[in-house]
Amino acid sequence: MRIAEVVNPPTPEQARIKSLQAQVKQSQQRVKAERIRQQRIKLNAQRASLNTTT
């Protein structure tokens, strides 16, 4: 059995870049979730106002 690739640990600079990229992805997911949450609140308020007028 041969090892096709030797895995070296990332350099500190590479680790920092990878960490920052992960933070960006997490932040994007949080922004998306917050926008959806705000849309739901807005829609629920509109439904409530429609229900009170009818």
Side-chain angles (χ1 to χ4, degrees):
M1 177 184 283
R2 290 180 18 185
I3 298 175
E5 182 178 328
V6 177
V7 178
N8 293 328
T11 64
E13 293 85 9
Q14 290 171 336
R16 179 165 167 75
I17 289 174
K18 193 167 191 169
S19 172
L20 290 171
Q21 288 173 337
Q23 288 177 8
V24 166
K25 286 182 183 180
Q26 290 174 351
S27 296
Q28 289 172 338
Q29 290 174 348
R30 288 186 192 123
V31 167
K32 185 177 179 179
E34 180 63 20
R35 285 186 177 141
I36 291 170
R37 186 187 72 81
Q38 289 179 7
Q39 287 175 348
R40 286 182 181 159
I41 290 172
K42 184 177 177 181
L43 288 173
N44 287 339
Q46 287 176 348
R47 287 184 193 139
S49 69
L50 289 175
N51 287 338
T52 58
T53 57
T54 55

